[in-house]
Amino acid sequence: MKNVVKQMKGFSIQKMAIIFGLFAMIIFFSFASSNFFTPSNINNILLSTMINGVLACGAIFVIVTGGIDVSIGTSMSFVSVMLGVFITWWGIPAPVGILLGLILGGLIGLLNGIMVTKMSITPFIATLGMQMITSGLAIVITNGSPIYFNTIDGYQSICLGTPFGQMGGSDYAVNNGVLIMFALAVIFGVILSKTIFGRYLYAIGNSKEATRLSGIRVELWELLAYIVAGGMSAVAAVLMTSRMNTAYPATGAGYEMNAVAACVIGGASLAGGKGSMKGAILGAFIMSILTNGLRLLSIPTEWQKVLTGLIIIIAVFLDMTGKKKNKI
Amino acid sequence: MPKTIIEMKGISKAFPGVQALQDCNLNVQEGEVHALLGENGAGKSTLMKVLTGIYHADCGEIFFDGKKVTLSSVIDARDLGITMIHQELNLLTNLTIAQNIFIGKEIKKGPFLQENAINEQSKELLKKVNLPVSPETMISSLTVAQQQMVEIAKAISYHSKVIIMDEPTAPLSSSEIDSLFTLIREMKKNKISIIYISHRMDEIKKICDRATILRDGQYIATVNVSDTPLSDIISMMVGREITYIRKKRDKSKISKEEVLRVENLCCGNKVNNVSFSLKKGEILGFAGLIGAGRTETARAIFGADIPDGGIVYINGKKVSIHSPYDAVRCGISYLSEDRKQQGLIIEMPVEDNITIAALGRLKKHLGFVDFKKCGEKAEEYVSMLRIKTPSLRSVAKSLSGGNQQKIVVAKWLLRDTDVLIFDEPTRGIDIGAKDEICELLIQLADIGKAVIMISSEMQEIMRVCDRILVMHEGEITGELDAEEVTQEEIMKLASKIEGEKV
């Protein structure tokens, strides 16, 4: 009973606002378009949230520390291309190739982390540099043209496979990729909220100096957060290449900002110390439902962008006003 | 009869829980250098904040040049001709000298800034303060002494009649001090009055005409410096009834075992060849004035700053400490003077703050936090130290200063280190809580911890500690037995007055 009360208290106005917003959006689009609440469209929404969701899983780790990683989108491009190189050009077996890709993603994160912690470069600048480097390399390696995975049997089913088959005879089926996203969100959500690693990250985001003076290896834990972000960009690369059966050298451009937006809509603060995995995933869903619904209503892409921008600003504004009220 | 420029009468000012000033007077004459003296916390800076319009006095009157004035902001005071040069200089380091002097009163033609005009005028001002550099020099490329000259030039540019200087010589070398004094004498000739705050008694003799002494927020006396011996001034500053009883500590609680030994520790220019040792169960006090290098010494031992040299022994074994992480593993903890920024993770709950340093031991396998154990331990220390908090999940920020300090203490007790370094543990907390913290330190020593206490409140240090080291400008100037020491002796070592009998 005590626990329930505790949890209710932890349920801030802002978290309520997100969930309320999400439901309001679903109800609105369901009435506005008969195509919205259909099995195939739900599948579309899940698939389009997948990449943003996985990237947000990593981004939230960095954002909680008060940092930011703007290289995760282009790292995804770079790892995508390298997956193509490993698996199709060099003929490395897919599982090994994927493993190499994940390691590569982790290494990019490690480099970001070293720049931020050991070289004291501001996170935004360090990862902006990495963004340019990885996006450039992806094009250099491929000469700008896509790498196709057609020859690799079963590669596409990594993401698009349907382990439970069609559901109830309808055309609805859950894809592997979506399950992977949810699994990662749960695992890393637990890491963030229930382990000392997660606790240290929040502490660092709240006050790096007080955390350091508590005898905690701030640099080590911060570095690990960047490795998580890099690793997630590699997972996203695997899912993306598998879904498309192709590695496009510019496939991840812009995704980093979607991930940041998802985290922020979900209550994270770029000043650090705040945010949650639940919030980040909800944020990713809000963004893709909004895009999807507006598309069904035949609202032009340009206007979709304008509205998404407005949503982000409103979400953060609600967060700020909620905070001010708490202070009084 | 010289003309009185400032007359403050019956000034009182209370803050929640503290009567900072009680019926204080100050009389400054035209063209004099007037020292404002008192221990840390005597009310000097509060009085000056009232004079410069930062605080509004609860009662009392201020007369400027014979006329009664109300000062409700810094701008009011500045317009009258009262400026303060703070110990922490307020210059914008990425702008030029001229831009700093004319900030807020830039010369414009239409919307455009007239850089040439301010440079011309600044050149004149710099000449007045004997600073031979171009007004276009960046502040960041000046020495601290030069920056101070720029502050003075800025004060002159407001046509100030009274300039308040708070510890102006603290960061200066002796030749720089000489040129500052030359400048002060020149300003005197131009009928500018200086209110001079300093802890260095020898300087008071050298430069000041009269002195006003405050103690515990009360006005004690105004004296002519030339015909009052320094020893009288010092006893006016500290001399009061001893308001505490030093409990005889059971010396047998101090073991022979040496826990910490520091040899020739050096760090920057604030820590110079510091050596000392500390026994199990002992409380060692670090006395001295603000800026004497005590905090820096503690930070260097704790690895918060990297020392330039020196050896640290823990339990007789040489250790190398490069970070607070290393220090904690060696069994040293440091409770910072800046509780809010460095001691607590202020936005996090009480429980998380208490457990943060010991989480490594409060985890289950795979690094999962053992929430149950954390809660139990936090609960235990909250009741042991009588921390008043609505719940364990309350945010640390919402508690009072004394309770916040206890959270920090709880954090380190839970981590269980042998050596505890307390840096100004009673700063900013109310009297009752101060007492509790002092008692706590003694209890910690009684259970076998080795405790270092840094404090600027001499009474406190004399009450709590077994042995007292006094620091002055980064060096240890003396070691005293707390049972026999007097405040005068500490003050003498802390301000390093030599040759005069106190």
Side-chain angles (χ1 to χ4, degrees), chain A residues 6 190 193-196 199-200 202-203 206-207 209-217, chain B residues 302 304 324-325 328 341-342 344-345 347-348 352 356-357 359 367-369 371 411-412:
Chain A
K6 243 186 216 171
V190 166
S193 62
K194 302 238 183 286
T195 66
I196 57 170
R199 177 70 64 82
Y200 288 159
Y202 283 100
N206 269 307
S207 173
E209 188 60 6
T211 310
R212 187 174 81 98
L213 293 178
S214 296
I216 287 154
R217 279 177 293 182
Chain B
F302 189 60
Y325 172 75
V328 173
Q341 301 286 325
Q342 305 187 350
L344 287 167
I345 300 162
E347 301 274 358
M348 282 175 97
D352 298 4
I356 187 88
L359 268 188
F368 280 92
V369 178
F371 288 100
K411 169 170 88 176
W412 290 115

mmCIF file of all heavy atoms in Angstrom, chain A residues 6 190 193-196 199-200 202-203 206-207 209-217, chain B residues 302 304 324-325 328 341-342 344-345 347-348 352 356-357 359 367-369 371 411-412:
data_model
loop_
_atom_site.group_PDB
_atom_site.id
_atom_site.type_symbol
_atom_site.label_atom_id
_atom_site.label_comp_id
_atom_site.label_asym_id
_atom_site.label_seq_id
_atom_site.Cartn_x
_atom_site.Cartn_y
_atom_site.Cartn_z
ATOM 1 N N LYS A 6 3.599 5.823 -2.836
ATOM 2 C CA LYS A 6 4.876 6.363 -3.275
ATOM 3 C C LYS A 6 4.877 6.556 -4.791
ATOM 4 O O LYS A 6 5.267 7.574 -5.304
ATOM 5 C CB LYS A 6 5.995 5.385 -2.889
ATOM 6 C CG LYS A 6 6.997 5.985 -1.902
ATOM 7 C CD LYS A 6 8.118 4.998 -1.712
ATOM 8 C CE LYS A 6 8.619 5.005 -0.287
ATOM 9 N NZ LYS A 6 9.556 3.928 -0.029
ATOM 10 N N VAL A 190 15.655 -0.727 -17.040
ATOM 11 C CA VAL A 190 15.981 -1.287 -15.728
ATOM 12 C C VAL A 190 17.384 -0.855 -15.310
ATOM 13 O O VAL A 190 17.618 -0.446 -14.176
ATOM 14 C CB VAL A 190 15.855 -2.832 -15.752
ATOM 15 C CG1 VAL A 190 16.510 -3.439 -14.522
ATOM 16 C CG2 VAL A 190 14.385 -3.231 -15.834
ATOM 17 N N SER A 193 17.232 2.708 -14.139
ATOM 18 C CA SER A 193 16.508 3.056 -12.914
ATOM 19 C C SER A 193 16.860 2.187 -11.711
ATOM 20 O O SER A 193 16.597 2.563 -10.582
ATOM 21 C CB SER A 193 15.000 3.002 -13.159
ATOM 22 O OG SER A 193 14.632 1.686 -13.508
ATOM 23 N N LYS A 194 17.475 1.034 -11.958
ATOM 24 C CA LYS A 194 17.642 0.126 -10.832
ATOM 25 C C LYS A 194 19.087 -0.268 -10.512
ATOM 26 O O LYS A 194 19.327 -1.010 -9.582
ATOM 27 C CB LYS A 194 16.843 -1.161 -11.079
ATOM 28 C CG LYS A 194 15.361 -0.912 -11.306
ATOM 29 C CD LYS A 194 14.494 -1.651 -10.308
ATOM 30 C CE LYS A 194 13.028 -1.470 -10.581
ATOM 31 N NZ LYS A 194 12.531 -0.139 -10.213
ATOM 32 N N THR A 195 20.040 0.186 -11.304
ATOM 33 C CA THR A 195 21.420 -0.207 -10.999
ATOM 34 C C THR A 195 22.231 1.007 -10.540
ATOM 35 O O THR A 195 21.802 2.150 -10.714
ATOM 36 C CB THR A 195 22.130 -0.793 -12.241
ATOM 37 O OG1 THR A 195 22.271 0.245 -13.194
ATOM 38 C CG2 THR A 195 21.334 -1.937 -12.843
ATOM 39 N N ILE A 196 23.390 0.717 -9.966
ATOM 40 C CA ILE A 196 24.230 1.824 -9.502
ATOM 41 C C ILE A 196 24.713 2.662 -10.694
ATOM 42 O O ILE A 196 24.877 3.861 -10.573
ATOM 43 C CB ILE A 196 25.428 1.355 -8.644
ATOM 44 C CG1 ILE A 196 26.300 0.359 -9.390
ATOM 45 C CG2 ILE A 196 24.954 0.758 -7.346
ATOM 46 C CD1 ILE A 196 27.596 0.082 -8.649
ATOM 47 N N ARG A 199 22.017 5.128 -11.265
ATOM 48 C CA ARG A 199 21.987 6.088 -10.169
ATOM 49 C C ARG A 199 23.124 7.100 -10.304
ATOM 50 O O ARG A 199 22.935 8.294 -10.129
ATOM 51 C CB ARG A 199 22.101 5.326 -8.850
ATOM 52 C CG ARG A 199 22.159 6.188 -7.617
ATOM 53 C CD ARG A 199 20.858 6.882 -7.315
ATOM 54 N NE ARG A 199 19.771 5.977 -7.008
ATOM 55 C CZ ARG A 199 19.556 5.413 -5.816
ATOM 56 N NH1 ARG A 199 20.374 5.671 -4.818
ATOM 57 N NH2 ARG A 199 18.528 4.619 -5.632
ATOM 58 N N TYR A 200 24.321 6.603 -10.644
ATOM 59 C CA TYR A 200 25.457 7.508 -10.806
ATOM 60 C C TYR A 200 25.205 8.498 -11.942
ATOM 61 O O TYR A 200 25.583 9.659 -11.862
ATOM 62 C CB TYR A 200 26.744 6.717 -11.080
ATOM 63 C CG TYR A 200 27.280 5.968 -9.878
ATOM 64 C CD1 TYR A 200 28.148 4.896 -10.041
ATOM 65 C CD2 TYR A 200 26.941 6.344 -8.591
ATOM 66 C CE1 TYR A 200 28.652 4.202 -8.953
ATOM 67 C CE2 TYR A 200 27.442 5.655 -7.496
ATOM 68 C CZ TYR A 200 28.299 4.578 -7.681
ATOM 69 O OH TYR A 200 28.792 3.902 -6.604
ATOM 70 N N TYR A 202 22.386 9.789 -13.009
ATOM 71 C CA TYR A 202 21.517 10.866 -12.531
ATOM 72 C C TYR A 202 22.288 11.806 -11.608
ATOM 73 O O TYR A 202 22.139 13.025 -11.668
ATOM 74 C CB TYR A 202 20.300 10.303 -11.794
ATOM 75 C CG TYR A 202 19.230 9.763 -12.715
ATOM 76 C CD1 TYR A 202 19.115 8.402 -12.961
ATOM 77 C CD2 TYR A 202 18.343 10.630 -13.348
ATOM 78 C CE1 TYR A 202 18.137 7.906 -13.812
ATOM 79 C CE2 TYR A 202 17.360 10.139 -14.198
ATOM 80 C CZ TYR A 202 17.255 8.778 -14.426
ATOM 81 O OH TYR A 202 16.296 8.308 -15.267
ATOM 82 N N ALA A 203 23.103 11.218 -10.740
ATOM 83 C CA ALA A 203 23.887 12.037 -9.805
ATOM 84 C C ALA A 203 24.815 12.971 -10.579
ATOM 85 O O ALA A 203 24.906 14.164 -10.282
ATOM 86 C CB ALA A 203 24.684 11.143 -8.864
ATOM 87 N N ASN A 206 22.972 15.786 -12.105
ATOM 88 C CA ASN A 206 22.537 16.781 -11.125
ATOM 89 C C ASN A 206 23.686 17.639 -10.646
ATOM 90 O O ASN A 206 23.565 18.845 -10.522
ATOM 91 C CB ASN A 206 21.885 16.094 -9.921
ATOM 92 C CG ASN A 206 20.404 15.937 -10.109
ATOM 93 O OD1 ASN A 206 19.715 16.902 -10.384
ATOM 94 N ND2 ASN A 206 19.913 14.719 -10.003
ATOM 95 N N SER A 207 24.782 17.020 -10.316
ATOM 96 C CA SER A 207 25.941 17.783 -9.871
ATOM 97 C C SER A 207 27.189 16.942 -10.047
ATOM 98 O O SER A 207 27.468 16.050 -9.263
ATOM 99 C CB SER A 207 25.805 18.188 -8.411
ATOM 100 O OG SER A 207 27.014 18.775 -7.990
ATOM 101 N N GLU A 209 30.291 17.801 -9.790
ATOM 102 C CA GLU A 209 31.337 18.025 -8.798
ATOM 103 C C GLU A 209 30.993 17.310 -7.484
ATOM 104 O O GLU A 209 31.851 16.651 -6.899
ATOM 105 C CB GLU A 209 31.515 19.531 -8.585
ATOM 106 C CG GLU A 209 32.710 19.922 -7.727
ATOM 107 C CD GLU A 209 34.050 19.473 -8.300
ATOM 108 O OE1 GLU A 209 34.087 18.945 -9.429
ATOM 109 O OE2 GLU A 209 35.059 19.621 -7.594
ATOM 110 N N ALA A 210 29.740 17.433 -7.051
ATOM 111 C CA ALA A 210 29.367 16.768 -5.794
ATOM 112 C C ALA A 210 29.513 15.257 -5.950
ATOM 113 O O ALA A 210 29.905 14.566 -5.011
ATOM 114 C CB ALA A 210 27.936 17.135 -5.405
ATOM 115 N N THR A 211 29.231 14.738 -7.132
ATOM 116 C CA THR A 211 29.356 13.305 -7.363
ATOM 117 C C THR A 211 30.823 12.880 -7.333
ATOM 118 O O THR A 211 31.192 11.899 -6.699
ATOM 119 C CB THR A 211 28.723 12.923 -8.716
ATOM 120 O OG1 THR A 211 27.418 13.484 -8.785
ATOM 121 C CG2 THR A 211 28.631 11.426 -8.870
ATOM 122 N N ARG A 212 31.653 13.680 -7.994
ATOM 123 C CA ARG A 212 33.091 13.388 -7.998
ATOM 124 C C ARG A 212 33.630 13.408 -6.571
ATOM 125 O O ARG A 212 34.385 12.529 -6.167
ATOM 126 C CB ARG A 212 33.814 14.450 -8.836
ATOM 127 C CG ARG A 212 35.290 14.173 -9.057
ATOM 128 C CD ARG A 212 35.884 15.180 -10.009
ATOM 129 N NE ARG A 212 36.220 16.427 -9.349
ATOM 130 C CZ ARG A 212 37.456 16.731 -8.934
ATOM 131 N NH1 ARG A 212 38.440 15.886 -9.115
ATOM 132 N NH2 ARG A 212 37.691 17.875 -8.339
ATOM 133 N N LEU A 213 33.222 14.401 -5.801
ATOM 134 C CA LEU A 213 33.713 14.522 -4.438
ATOM 135 C C LEU A 213 33.102 13.480 -3.501
ATOM 136 O O LEU A 213 33.469 13.394 -2.348
ATOM 137 C CB LEU A 213 33.452 15.927 -3.892
ATOM 138 C CG LEU A 213 34.254 17.045 -4.568
ATOM 139 C CD1 LEU A 213 33.884 18.394 -3.999
ATOM 140 C CD2 LEU A 213 35.753 16.821 -4.430
ATOM 141 N N SER A 214 32.151 12.689 -4.003
ATOM 142 C CA SER A 214 31.654 11.564 -3.220
ATOM 143 C C SER A 214 32.491 10.319 -3.490
ATOM 144 O O SER A 214 32.124 9.221 -3.088
ATOM 145 C CB SER A 214 30.191 11.282 -3.550
ATOM 146 O OG SER A 214 29.386 12.367 -3.186
ATOM 147 N N GLY A 215 33.587 10.501 -4.204
ATOM 148 C CA GLY A 215 34.477 9.380 -4.473
ATOM 149 C C GLY A 215 33.995 8.480 -5.597
ATOM 150 O O GLY A 215 34.282 7.287 -5.600
ATOM 151 N N ILE A 216 33.263 9.057 -6.545
ATOM 152 C CA ILE A 216 32.755 8.259 -7.649
ATOM 153 C C ILE A 216 33.533 8.602 -8.914
ATOM 154 O O ILE A 216 33.839 9.765 -9.172
ATOM 155 C CB ILE A 216 31.241 8.517 -7.812
ATOM 156 C CG1 ILE A 216 30.519 7.834 -6.658
ATOM 157 C CG2 ILE A 216 30.732 7.986 -9.142
ATOM 158 C CD1 ILE A 216 29.221 8.435 -6.313
ATOM 159 N N ARG A 217 33.842 7.547 -9.690
ATOM 160 C CA ARG A 217 34.627 7.779 -10.900
ATOM 161 C C ARG A 217 33.732 8.329 -12.005
ATOM 162 O O ARG A 217 33.282 7.599 -12.892
ATOM 163 C CB ARG A 217 35.328 6.500 -11.328
ATOM 164 C CG ARG A 217 36.607 6.250 -10.549
ATOM 165 C CD ARG A 217 37.242 4.963 -10.931
ATOM 166 N NE ARG A 217 36.400 3.833 -10.517
ATOM 167 C CZ ARG A 217 36.747 2.567 -10.704
ATOM 168 N NH1 ARG A 217 37.872 2.270 -11.296
ATOM 169 N NH2 ARG A 217 35.949 1.597 -10.299
ATOM 170 N N PHE B 302 42.680 15.202 -0.488
ATOM 171 C CA PHE B 302 41.534 14.415 -0.942
ATOM 172 C C PHE B 302 41.589 14.104 -2.440
ATOM 173 O O PHE B 302 40.783 13.336 -2.952
ATOM 174 C CB PHE B 302 40.249 15.180 -0.611
ATOM 175 C CG PHE B 302 38.987 14.406 -0.814
ATOM 176 C CD1 PHE B 302 38.740 13.226 -0.115
ATOM 177 C CD2 PHE B 302 38.022 14.840 -1.712
ATOM 178 C CE1 PHE B 302 37.563 12.513 -0.310
ATOM 179 C CE2 PHE B 302 36.835 14.133 -1.907
ATOM 180 C CZ PHE B 302 36.612 12.967 -1.197
ATOM 181 N N ALA B 304 40.968 16.169 -4.791
ATOM 182 C CA ALA B 304 40.038 17.014 -5.548
ATOM 183 C C ALA B 304 40.831 17.970 -6.432
ATOM 184 O O ALA B 304 40.412 18.312 -7.525
ATOM 185 C CB ALA B 304 39.119 17.782 -4.606
ATOM 186 N N PRO B 324 39.358 11.938 -5.917
ATOM 187 C CA PRO B 324 38.582 11.642 -4.710
ATOM 188 C C PRO B 324 38.288 10.142 -4.601
ATOM 189 O O PRO B 324 38.243 9.601 -3.501
ATOM 190 C CB PRO B 324 37.292 12.442 -4.918
ATOM 191 C CG PRO B 324 37.692 13.575 -5.777
ATOM 192 C CD PRO B 324 38.741 13.024 -6.697
ATOM 193 N N TYR B 325 38.140 9.475 -5.741
ATOM 194 C CA TYR B 325 37.905 8.038 -5.737
ATOM 195 C C TYR B 325 39.035 7.311 -5.014
ATOM 196 O O TYR B 325 38.797 6.467 -4.151
ATOM 197 C CB TYR B 325 37.770 7.554 -7.186
ATOM 198 C CG TYR B 325 37.709 6.058 -7.356
ATOM 199 C CD1 TYR B 325 36.553 5.353 -7.026
ATOM 200 C CD2 TYR B 325 38.796 5.347 -7.852
ATOM 201 C CE1 TYR B 325 36.481 3.990 -7.177
ATOM 202 C CE2 TYR B 325 38.737 3.971 -8.014
ATOM 203 C CZ TYR B 325 37.583 3.296 -7.674
ATOM 204 O OH TYR B 325 37.520 1.940 -7.832
ATOM 205 N N VAL B 328 38.955 8.156 -1.176
ATOM 206 C CA VAL B 328 37.921 7.441 -0.425
ATOM 207 C C VAL B 328 38.337 5.993 -0.219
ATOM 208 O O VAL B 328 38.151 5.424 0.847
ATOM 209 C CB VAL B 328 36.560 7.541 -1.145
ATOM 210 C CG1 VAL B 328 35.539 6.663 -0.459
ATOM 211 C CG2 VAL B 328 36.081 8.984 -1.169
ATOM 212 N N GLN B 341 26.875 23.060 -3.414
ATOM 213 C CA GLN B 341 27.397 22.737 -4.733
ATOM 214 C C GLN B 341 28.206 21.440 -4.712
ATOM 215 O O GLN B 341 28.203 20.702 -5.677
ATOM 216 C CB GLN B 341 28.324 23.859 -5.232
ATOM 217 C CG GLN B 341 27.664 25.210 -5.342
ATOM 218 C CD GLN B 341 26.741 25.279 -6.520
ATOM 219 O OE1 GLN B 341 27.010 24.684 -7.555
ATOM 220 N NE2 GLN B 341 25.628 25.974 -6.377
ATOM 221 N N GLN B 342 28.947 21.225 -3.617
ATOM 222 C CA GLN B 342 29.930 20.154 -3.653
ATOM 223 C C GLN B 342 29.657 19.028 -2.679
ATOM 224 O O GLN B 342 30.203 17.955 -2.826
ATOM 225 C CB GLN B 342 31.327 20.737 -3.389
ATOM 226 C CG GLN B 342 31.635 21.858 -4.355
ATOM 227 C CD GLN B 342 33.051 22.355 -4.245
ATOM 228 O OE1 GLN B 342 33.775 22.009 -3.330
ATOM 229 N NE2 GLN B 342 33.466 23.159 -5.196
ATOM 230 N N LEU B 344 26.345 18.087 -1.514
ATOM 231 C CA LEU B 344 25.085 17.405 -1.751
ATOM 232 C C LEU B 344 24.754 17.406 -3.234
ATOM 233 O O LEU B 344 25.140 18.310 -3.954
ATOM 234 C CB LEU B 344 23.957 18.150 -1.034
ATOM 235 C CG LEU B 344 23.893 18.046 0.476
ATOM 236 C CD1 LEU B 344 22.931 19.081 0.998
ATOM 237 C CD2 LEU B 344 23.438 16.660 0.884
ATOM 238 N N ILE B 345 24.002 16.379 -3.624
ATOM 239 C CA ILE B 345 23.386 16.421 -4.937
ATOM 240 C C ILE B 345 21.996 16.947 -4.650
ATOM 241 O O ILE B 345 21.075 16.215 -4.321
ATOM 242 C CB ILE B 345 23.411 15.048 -5.592
ATOM 243 C CG1 ILE B 345 24.875 14.617 -5.723
ATOM 244 C CG2 ILE B 345 22.739 15.087 -6.945
ATOM 245 C CD1 ILE B 345 25.065 13.170 -5.939
ATOM 246 N N GLU B 347 19.330 18.238 -5.800
ATOM 247 C CA GLU B 347 18.011 17.921 -6.353
ATOM 248 C C GLU B 347 17.610 16.468 -6.094
ATOM 249 O O GLU B 347 16.545 16.036 -6.499
ATOM 250 C CB GLU B 347 17.985 18.162 -7.874
ATOM 251 C CG GLU B 347 18.312 19.575 -8.306
ATOM 252 C CD GLU B 347 17.097 20.487 -8.298
ATOM 253 O OE1 GLU B 347 16.000 19.990 -7.983
ATOM 254 O OE2 GLU B 347 17.261 21.684 -8.582
ATOM 255 N N MET B 348 18.485 15.700 -5.474
ATOM 256 C CA MET B 348 18.166 14.294 -5.249
ATOM 257 C C MET B 348 17.645 14.083 -3.824
ATOM 258 O O MET B 348 17.930 14.859 -2.930
ATOM 259 C CB MET B 348 19.388 13.411 -5.538
ATOM 260 C CG MET B 348 19.597 13.205 -7.039
ATOM 261 S SD MET B 348 21.080 12.289 -7.449
ATOM 262 C CE MET B 348 20.483 10.656 -7.653
ATOM 263 N N ASP B 352 19.009 9.013 -1.408
ATOM 264 C CA ASP B 352 20.024 8.833 -2.447
ATOM 265 C C ASP B 352 21.303 9.565 -2.079
ATOM 266 O O ASP B 352 22.403 9.115 -2.384
ATOM 267 C CB ASP B 352 19.505 9.348 -3.791
ATOM 268 C CG ASP B 352 18.282 8.572 -4.258
ATOM 269 O OD1 ASP B 352 17.823 7.709 -3.485
ATOM 270 O OD2 ASP B 352 17.794 8.828 -5.362
ATOM 271 N N ILE B 356 24.867 7.548 -1.653
ATOM 272 C CA ILE B 356 25.612 7.633 -2.918
ATOM 273 C C ILE B 356 27.066 7.161 -2.807
ATOM 274 O O ILE B 356 27.566 6.447 -3.675
ATOM 275 C CB ILE B 356 25.526 9.063 -3.523
ATOM 276 C CG1 ILE B 356 26.144 9.131 -4.919
ATOM 277 C CG2 ILE B 356 26.216 10.107 -2.647
ATOM 278 C CD1 ILE B 356 25.203 8.809 -6.010
ATOM 279 N N ALA B 357 27.751 7.503 -1.718
ATOM 280 C CA ALA B 357 29.165 7.159 -1.625
ATOM 281 C C ALA B 357 29.367 5.681 -1.291
ATOM 282 O O ALA B 357 30.413 5.110 -1.567
ATOM 283 C CB ALA B 357 29.858 8.029 -0.578
ATOM 284 N N LEU B 359 27.254 3.202 -2.313
ATOM 285 C CA LEU B 359 26.444 2.335 -3.192
ATOM 286 C C LEU B 359 27.191 1.070 -3.602
ATOM 287 O O LEU B 359 26.587 0.014 -3.770
ATOM 288 C CB LEU B 359 26.027 3.089 -4.459
ATOM 289 C CG LEU B 359 24.693 3.818 -4.428
ATOM 290 C CD1 LEU B 359 24.373 4.334 -5.810
ATOM 291 C CD2 LEU B 359 23.586 2.902 -3.956
ATOM 292 N N GLY B 367 25.129 -5.341 -10.211
ATOM 293 C CA GLY B 367 25.077 -3.893 -10.034
ATOM 294 C C GLY B 367 23.706 -3.336 -9.715
ATOM 295 O O GLY B 367 23.491 -2.132 -9.780
ATOM 296 N N PHE B 368 22.760 -4.229 -9.372
ATOM 297 C CA PHE B 368 21.446 -3.716 -8.997
ATOM 298 C C PHE B 368 21.506 -3.069 -7.624
ATOM 299 O O PHE B 368 22.106 -3.626 -6.698
ATOM 300 C CB PHE B 368 20.406 -4.841 -8.980
ATOM 301 C CG PHE B 368 19.912 -5.176 -10.351
ATOM 302 C CD1 PHE B 368 20.515 -6.171 -11.114
ATOM 303 C CD2 PHE B 368 18.841 -4.473 -10.894
ATOM 304 C CE1 PHE B 368 20.073 -6.458 -12.384
ATOM 305 C CE2 PHE B 368 18.385 -4.761 -12.164
ATOM 306 C CZ PHE B 368 19.003 -5.753 -12.917
ATOM 307 N N VAL B 369 20.910 -1.892 -7.507
ATOM 308 C CA VAL B 369 20.870 -1.218 -6.213
ATOM 309 C C VAL B 369 19.975 -2.021 -5.276
ATOM 310 O O VAL B 369 18.889 -2.435 -5.655
ATOM 311 C CB VAL B 369 20.297 0.210 -6.366
ATOM 312 C CG1 VAL B 369 20.213 0.889 -5.012
ATOM 313 C CG2 VAL B 369 21.146 1.022 -7.319
ATOM 314 N N PHE B 371 17.614 -1.659 -2.948
ATOM 315 C CA PHE B 371 16.781 -0.556 -2.453
ATOM 316 C C PHE B 371 16.378 -0.741 -0.993
ATOM 317 O O PHE B 371 16.296 0.197 -0.228
ATOM 318 C CB PHE B 371 15.527 -0.406 -3.324
ATOM 319 C CG PHE B 371 15.829 0.158 -4.685
ATOM 320 C CD1 PHE B 371 15.930 -0.674 -5.785
ATOM 321 C CD2 PHE B 371 16.034 1.513 -4.852
ATOM 322 C CE1 PHE B 371 16.226 -0.153 -7.031
ATOM 323 C CE2 PHE B 371 16.325 2.040 -6.088
ATOM 324 C CZ PHE B 371 16.426 1.202 -7.189
ATOM 325 N N LYS B 411 26.349 10.535 4.922
ATOM 326 C CA LYS B 411 26.912 9.919 3.722
ATOM 327 C C LYS B 411 28.285 9.319 4.014
ATOM 328 O O LYS B 411 28.565 8.186 3.646
ATOM 329 C CB LYS B 411 27.013 10.987 2.618
ATOM 330 C CG LYS B 411 27.816 10.562 1.408
ATOM 331 C CD LYS B 411 27.683 11.554 0.274
ATOM 332 C CE LYS B 411 28.706 12.653 0.364
ATOM 333 N NZ LYS B 411 28.632 13.565 -0.794
ATOM 334 N N TRP B 412 29.114 10.103 4.721
ATOM 335 C CA TRP B 412 30.480 9.628 4.950
ATOM 336 C C TRP B 412 30.554 8.620 6.092
ATOM 337 O O TRP B 412 31.425 7.750 6.095
ATOM 338 C CB TRP B 412 31.425 10.799 5.170
ATOM 339 C CG TRP B 412 31.619 11.555 3.892
ATOM 340 C CD1 TRP B 412 31.239 12.831 3.623
ATOM 341 C CD2 TRP B 412 32.196 11.046 2.678
ATOM 342 N NE1 TRP B 412 31.537 13.153 2.330
ATOM 343 C CE2 TRP B 412 32.134 12.089 1.716
ATOM 344 C CE3 TRP B 412 32.765 9.824 2.288
ATOM 345 C CZ2 TRP B 412 32.607 11.948 0.420
ATOM 346 C CZ3 TRP B 412 33.237 9.687 0.999
ATOM 347 C CH2 TRP B 412 33.153 10.733 0.085
#
